[in-house]
Each structure stands twice: as C-alpha cells, then as structure tokens.
Amino acid sequence: MVKQPLLEVKNLVTQFRSDNELFKAVNDVSFTLHKGETIGIVGESGSGKSVTSLSVMRLIPNPPGKITSGEIIYHAKNNGIVDLVKISDENMRQYRGSEIAMIFQEPMTSLNPVITCGDQVMEAILLHQSISKQEAREKTIKLFEEVQLPNPALILDRYPHQLSGGQKQRVMIAMAMSCQPNVLIADEPTTALDVTVQKTIIELMKKLQVTYNMGIVFITHDLGVIAELADNVMVMYKGKVVEQGPVFEIFSNPKHPYTKSLLACRPPLDKRIKRLPVVSDFMTRNQNGEIIELDNKLSNAINNMVITKEERENKHTELYRNSKILELKNVKTWYPAAKTLFGKVVSYSKAVDDVSFDVYEGETLGLVGESGCGKTTLGRTILKLTPAIDGQILYKGNNILTIKEKDFREHRKDMQIIFQDPYSSLNPRLKIGDALMEPMKIHGILQKDSQRRDKVYDLLNKVGLEEKHFNRYPHEFSGGQRQRVCIARALALNPKFIICDESVSALDVSVQAQVLNLLNDLKQEFKFTYIFISHDLSVVKFMSDRMVVMQKGKIEEIGDPDDVYMNPKSDYTRRLIDSIPKGNLDDIKASISQKQNYFASLNLPKQ
C-alpha cells in the first residue's frame, strides 16, 4: 500500500543572528512524514531538533531567527498542498493548532498559571471550531477522559499548579488533540517525568496516533523512548542530519560515530561499568570542523570496565567497615492536608513516614521512586531545609534536628545539595564567579577575595569549565554547563556529604554521562559521601553502592542495586523496572509488530 505523505521538509535552513554573526541552527534538513508514522528526532541540546519543529510551526522569533531557504510542504485535510514557508502569518494560523499541533517541552511554563486547565483547552477548541461554549466544555471533558485524566470534570476547573507533572502533560496532549490534527509535534514531552508516567504517556500517544491515523514528530534526547515509539529515526548534530533510517536499522547497525556514542552513553542495565562512554570517545573534529571517527576499540574497553560481582562484593566489604556518617531513625515529615474552620489540623499529607536507614562514609546511596514518593522531601529534611515533625537524624553522631539553626550553620559547610534545576538555583543577576565566591565569604573560607578567586578558578577546571567563564552569567551557559557550575558551588565549602537531587534528570544523555562520570571522579578525589536522588532507576543503578526504593513516603525495599534490579521484592519496584525504556532489539521488534497489528485491526494503512 502506498504511503500517504503528510509533511515534506526539503533542504530547510533556519539561522539566527547573534553578535553580528549568522548561525545556522538548522542546516539543510530534509525528511518526509507519512500518515500513521512516527519520526523520532534525536540529538543533544543545540543539535537543532527543537528549532526544526518550531520552523515547521512557523514559531521562530524574527528577529533574531529566520527561515532562509527550503520548503515545508504540508498536505492539508482538504487535500490541498501548501508550502508553509511561503504563506502569510495570517494564513498559517489556519493550520497551526487545527491541523498541525505541538506539545511543548515544559507543560508548567506552556500552560497559563492563572487560567484553569479546562478553559485553556476550550479556548483552543473555540478558536478553530464553530461550536458553543457548552459544546466545547463537553468536548474538553471527553478529551480529558481520552487522555486518561482522573476525574475529568474536576480537573476542568483546576489550575496547572494543582496537577502533577504527568497530569499537566496529559492536559497539553488534550489541547494538542482538541482539533484532531493531521500532524502532532511532541518536543521532549516525557523529559523529567517518572518512568511509569513516561510509559503511560508513550502508550497514550501510540493509542491516539492509531485512533486518528496521524503523523507524529517525536523529539527527544532519550534513545530508549525513541525505540518504544518511532518507526523512523533522524539523528541531528550541530544543525545537520548525520543519520536517518528505520528504527530497527539505526539501533542494530548505527553508521555514524555520533549515533554510536548516543547509544553507548546510556547507563547499561545488564551490567555494572566503572565509567560511562561519552561522545568524545567516538569522534572528534579536525581543523576544518569535519567529524572524524576515532579508531579505538571502545566496545572492548567497555567490556574491560565491567565491574565483576567479586569486585563489587570486595568493595562493599571494605566500604561497610567505615563509620556511619548519617543515621536516620523513624523520620517523619508531614504537611497539614485539611483543617477545620478554626484552624485545627484534621488530616496530614505524609511526605516522609517513619523512614530509617544508615549511610556510611564514602558510600553513594541511591534514592529512587516516582514523583510524590517523598525522596526530595527526605533529602531536604536531612539538610534541615524542610522541618521534620518526629524522628532522629544523626550526622556524625549528633542529632541535627535538635541543633538550633545558628549552631547548625557550621554543619552546613559539610552538608551540601545539588538541586534538580540548575537555572532556577542560580541567581540570574550574579556572575558565576561571584556565585561561587559567595558561600566562601559567608563561611569565612580563605582570607582574601584574590585567594577565593584562585580557588574558584581551580573549581571551574575541576568540573570541566574554564577560567574565562568566571565573568559570565547563568543564561550564557548550556544546561550541562550550568549543572557543572552548581557542582562547583557545592564543592566550594569542602563538604563531606552531598545530596544530588535529580541533578541529571533534564540533561541530554551525552551530557548526563559526562556529569555522572564527573561526580564519580570528584567522589574519588575528595572522598565524598553521596545521597543520589532520581526517578531514573538505570542512573541510580550505575551510581549507587546501595539503593533505597520509596513509595508514598515509606521505604519499599533497600539493598544492592544489582540485586534489587534482578530480584525485586515488591510489586512497586517491579513496576518501576518494567517501565524503563530499555531500547533492546527484541522490544523494538515487538513494538513494530504491535503497531502493524493495530493498523490491521482498524483497517488503516499499514506502515
């Protein structure tokens, strides 16, 4: 059966002007999307994948950006063919939203915080369809049911901040699906979501695609997600397409060194390795900027980096001879959930509920679970950033919960945190050099600013940045670089104990590998103790000596990460493991077969 094209992008070039220079963010990109097909676009930040999608939607801000050449041929619902590059902005509004819809990366910033979720979806419906407000309301409730939101009528009147991350993402999908578009562009729709929520979103998009026979452009840096969803894959690097083809072919026989590096950077689940491969292990650039594949036997090197069970057991024997740096005993952090008219609390939200465990000096303890399980609240409670209502937290034998805040200040030098979002945890008005010197001044580290400046230069070098970055502001850095700045800031006070709270969850897989390697290198150099918090079990498994699985404020199980992964004791842990997008060839074959069966059962064109 002949495939029906929906969208043909031909030799697209989109460039931006910066500091009197022109930069091609999208450089000669071409692809074709057919009905019922999903194209996965992968690459690290700055590869041009999001700018490609914004170009298709004609949402490039001009200035500084502009589509300078190429065609975007769209096959409309009325069987007309139009070049989206050439039509006016007014005509583009006829297609944007109604026929070509987009799910943006961050639902919290994409949804209006002062308008209810129902009104925002109804607005999109009323804009493109000639129906009454009551009919739009009924259609919105039906859409919320379709995207599997609980209590659709209730969520209709809720504001975005009242929903979880997965629920907000479902609202965005409902809004995008409100006019039954031909083409759905999903820009990182599962980034920073729990693996269980991510799996639900992927299954939902598969179902909606088959129901409406639409084409999907799915943008992500996670190749595991691409393996679950895509029919074809397009790999982008520095604005160019370096490789594209069927998903099975890309995963089974990648040709380009960049594709090989992306596949290798993901923490493996079937073995433990000492170090994650990074892009520079696979390729470099010559003086002309041309990519050169490095002729190294990396696969053999990776095999040599595998940690055997005997090595792991010997390390554990030595590690757990150390003293306990932290002891948690029956810690509870509860929040008032409901009050009477006179302010008496009648029920509590038990974020952390009777949690006990020990952490040994030099250990990395992984804390994993879904959003709302209490892992971040527990991390903040340990550092006294969130008050506990009961229990004991002993740091080097002292119960920090009973220490007054002014006396606890001395301990704060030893106990640091690396937050999830590096951009919001850095002052946008403060140069990063000053941001790193500030805690040293507060705690009296070194005597002079010149000495502190030298220490900052040293810290920047240790985290892979340069001295020239000292006078730059946070917005001048990439996400991975900002995370390195936050790591340097945590190191500034020479701490002994660091909590990493989702510190790599929003990073590209290639940058994530670099940061994880950096954290391990710094641990070896400075003899840190980590609590590593993440919803990504594969990352926790790579980083941790022991793993704690949390659900609803309680510990589900605790043990060696390999043992927990291979033989989970609880159904909850098993569900977390089953939800991980593994990207192996058997799963890809099964996904392709499942999709073909769907099309066959609905008598739709088979891809």
Side-chain angles (χ1 to χ4, degrees):
M1 189 173 290
V2 178
K3 292 182 178 181
Q4 301 176 48
L6 279 174
L7 189 69
E8 299 173 82
V9 176
K10 301 177 180 179
N11 309 112
L12 179 67
V13 176
T14 303
Q15 60 186 27
F16 289 81
R17 180 173 291 279
S18 176
D19 297 330
N20 297 320
E21 291 184 7
L22 289 175
F23 169 71
K24 291 183 179 178
V26 176
N27 191 358
D28 197 28
V29 168
S30 300
F31 65 89
T32 300
L33 176 70
H34 300 90
K35 280 193 174 183
E37 179 183 67
T38 299
I39 289 180
I41 305 181
V42 296
E44 56 195 345
S45 293
S47 63
K49 55 189 189 297
S50 291
V51 178
T52 300
S53 66
L54 291 171
S55 299
V56 171
M57 295 291 291
R58 287 276 303 275
L59 291 174
I60 299 294
N62 183 13
K66 185 179 181 182
I67 298 172
T68 57
S69 63
E71 299 174 287
I72 303 174
I73 307 299
Y74 171 61
H75 298 253
K77 286 181 179 179
N78 61 5
N79 295 321
I81 297 176
V82 59
D83 184 351
L84 300 180
V85 174
K86 295 180 179 178
I87 62 176
S88 66
D89 289 341
E90 185 177 352
N91 288 337
M92 183 64 202
R93 293 191 194 102
Q94 300 174 17
Y95 301 102
R96 188 191 297 131
S98 61
E99 298 198 27
I100 306 174
M102 187 167 181
I103 304 169
F104 293 95
Q105 179 170 355
E106 178 47 66
M108 193 63 224
T109 55
S110 302
L111 292 170
N112 191 322
V114 297
I115 300 178
T116 64
C117 296
D119 283 343
Q120 293 188 60
V121 177
M122 288 164 58
E123 181 184 28
I125 294 171
L126 292 168
L127 184 65
H128 294 288
Q129 299 176 40
S130 300
I131 59 176
S132 67
K133 192 168 183 178
Q134 180 59 34
E135 289 173 316
R137 181 181 176 87
E138 291 169 0
K139 184 167 184 176
T140 300
I141 292 174
K142 189 176 179 182
L143 281 165
F144 283 180
E145 289 173 351
E146 200 168 31
V147 298
Q148 300 167 21
L149 277 166
N151 302 318
L154 187 65
I155 285 183
L156 199 75
D157 297 319
R158 286 191 172 175
Y159 292 90
H161 74 272
Q162 295 175 294
L163 306 184
S164 70
Q167 289 174 334
K168 285 195 284 278
Q169 199 60 277
R170 285 183 173 92
V171 171
M172 290 293 296
I173 293 173
M175 190 184 300
M177 295 303 302
S178 61
C179 297
Q180 298 181 15
N182 270 342
V183 177
L184 178 65
I185 300 173
D187 186 7
E188 301 271 14
T190 60
T191 296
L193 292 181
D194 305 328
V195 287
T196 48
V197 177
Q198 176 179 268
K199 186 174 183 179
T200 305
I201 296 293
I202 290 171
E203 293 299 326
L204 172 62
M205 292 186 71
K206 283 182 180 178
K207 179 183 175 183
L208 292 172
Q209 179 184 39
V210 172
T211 302
Y212 296 106
N213 197 25
M214 65 183 174
I216 294 178
V217 177
F218 194 95
I219 298 166
T220 183
H221 60 257
D222 190 337
L223 279 160
V225 173
I226 286 292
E228 298 257 330
L229 188 65
D231 301 294
N232 293 296
V233 180
M234 187 169 81
V235 183
M236 292 189 69
Y237 180 71
K238 303 289 186 184
K240 287 180 173 287
V241 178
V242 295
E243 185 167 2
Q244 61 180 314
V247 61
F248 187 82
E249 184 180 312
I250 294 292
F251 274 76
S252 61
N253 187 28
K255 300 287 195 305
H256 196 275
Y258 181 65
T259 311
K260 294 175 185 177
S261 69
L262 289 182
L263 289 167
C265 286
R266 295 160 58 227
L269 287 164
D270 58 341
K271 55 180 174 278
R272 293 288 293 272
I273 60 177
K274 299 170 186 174
R275 191 173 189 82
L276 288 170
V278 295
V279 173
S280 59
D281 293 324
F282 290 83
M283 53 183 261
T284 187
R285 285 174 171 265
N286 62 18
Q287 293 180 342
N288 298 322
E290 298 168 329
I291 293 172
I292 303 215
E293 184 169 6
L294 296 176
D295 186 21
N296 62 357
K297 297 181 174 60
L298 190 64
S299 58
N300 293 331
I302 292 172
N303 291 331
N304 292 332
M305 286 194 291
V306 172
I307 302 172
T308 65
K309 185 177 180 180
E310 183 181 0
E311 288 175 325
R312 196 173 74 248
E313 289 174 350
N314 289 339
K315 181 186 176 185
H316 282 191
T317 301
E318 185 176 342
L319 177 64
Y320 297 119
R321 287 185 185 136
N322 294 341
S323 302
K324 295 174 183 177
I325 193 171
L326 193 72
E327 299 171 72
L328 272 66
K329 298 181 179 181
N330 310 108
V331 176
K332 296 178 182 178
T333 306
W334 295 1
Y335 299 103
K339 296 181 181 181
T340 65
L341 184 63
F342 300 102
K344 182 181 178 181
V345 178
V346 294
S347 67
Y348 288 90
S349 172
K350 300 179 180 181
V352 178
D353 192 18
D354 199 27
V355 167
S356 301
F357 60 77
D358 302 326
V359 184
Y360 292 79
E361 288 187 3
E363 181 180 22
T364 297
L365 183 78
L367 208 54
V368 69
E370 297 172 294
S371 291
C373 72
K375 56 188 188 295
T376 292
T377 302
L378 179 58
R380 294 178 63 86
T381 302
I382 290 170
L383 296 179
K384 290 190 72 172
L385 299 175
T386 297
I389 68 161
D390 198 10
Q392 291 181 305
I393 300 176
L394 305 180
Y395 177 72
K396 294 186 175 180
N398 298 312
N399 185 5
I400 63 174
L401 296 183
T402 60
I403 299 175
K404 293 181 179 179
E405 184 57 38
K406 64 177 182 179
D407 298 324
F408 185 66
R409 185 172 175 178
E410 189 62 29
H411 287 288
R412 290 211 179 275
K413 288 195 294 186
D414 283 351
M415 307 171 74
Q416 290 293 301
I417 185 168
I418 303 169
F419 292 102
Q420 177 173 358
D421 183 357
Y423 194 75
S424 62
S425 61
L426 291 170
N427 188 330
R429 297 184 179 89
L430 211 59
K431 294 177 181 178
I432 64 134
D434 294 327
L436 296 181
M437 288 173 62
E438 184 181 43
M440 288 192 274
K441 290 179 181 178
I442 290 171
H443 288 278
I445 304 294
L446 301 176
Q447 300 300 314
K448 301 177 182 177
D449 278 353
S450 59
Q451 294 173 316
R452 296 184 186 112
R453 189 177 295 107
D454 289 340
K455 183 175 174 65
V456 169
Y457 289 152
D458 183 55
L459 288 171
L460 290 174
N461 289 327
K462 284 189 185 303
V463 300
L465 296 173
E466 300 177 39
E467 292 182 10
K468 66 181 182 182
H469 294 136
F470 185 97
N471 290 312
R472 292 187 184 177
Y473 291 93
H475 73 271
E476 297 180 89
F477 294 88
S478 68
Q481 287 175 321
R482 282 196 290 268
Q483 197 59 279
R484 290 171 186 268
V485 172
C486 290
I487 293 170
R489 185 176 60 181
L491 300 181
L493 299 178
N494 305 316
K496 302 298 180 187
F497 172 71
I498 299 177
I499 293 178
C500 304
D501 185 12
E502 298 278 13
S503 52
V504 297
S505 62
L507 299 180
D508 304 329
V509 66
S510 53
V511 179
Q512 175 182 278
Q514 295 171 21
V515 173
L516 293 177
N517 287 339
L518 171 65
L519 289 170
N520 279 333
D521 291 342
L522 293 170
K523 179 186 174 183
Q524 292 300 318
E525 182 176 352
F526 294 101
K527 309 302 179 187
F528 292 140
T529 302
Y530 286 138
I531 287 183
F532 194 91
I533 299 171
S534 179
H535 63 257
D536 190 334
L537 197 144
S538 62
V539 170
V540 172
K541 182 177 177 293
F542 168 73
M543 290 292 292
S544 306
D545 299 299
R546 276 188 306 153
M547 180 191 297
V548 176
V549 182
M550 287 189 69
Q551 183 191 22
K552 295 180 179 177
K554 292 182 176 290
I555 293 177
E556 280 285 318
E557 58 184 293
I558 183 170
D560 179 272
D562 294 80
D563 294 338
V564 172
Y565 178 74
M566 297 303 296
N567 301 296
K569 293 184 176 65
S570 75
D571 291 337
Y572 174 74
T573 308
R574 196 171 293 111
R575 193 164 72 249
L576 278 181
I577 292 167
D578 290 342
S579 299
I580 299 171
K582 300 172 180 66
N584 60 53
L585 297 181
D586 289 338
D587 288 345
I588 294 172
K589 283 181 181 177
S591 180
I592 293 170
S593 176
Q594 182 187 44
K595 188 169 184 178
Q596 289 175 342
N597 291 337
Y598 271 141
F599 278 118
S601 66
L602 294 174
N603 198 28
L604 292 169
K606 189 184 292 185
Q607 298 300 309

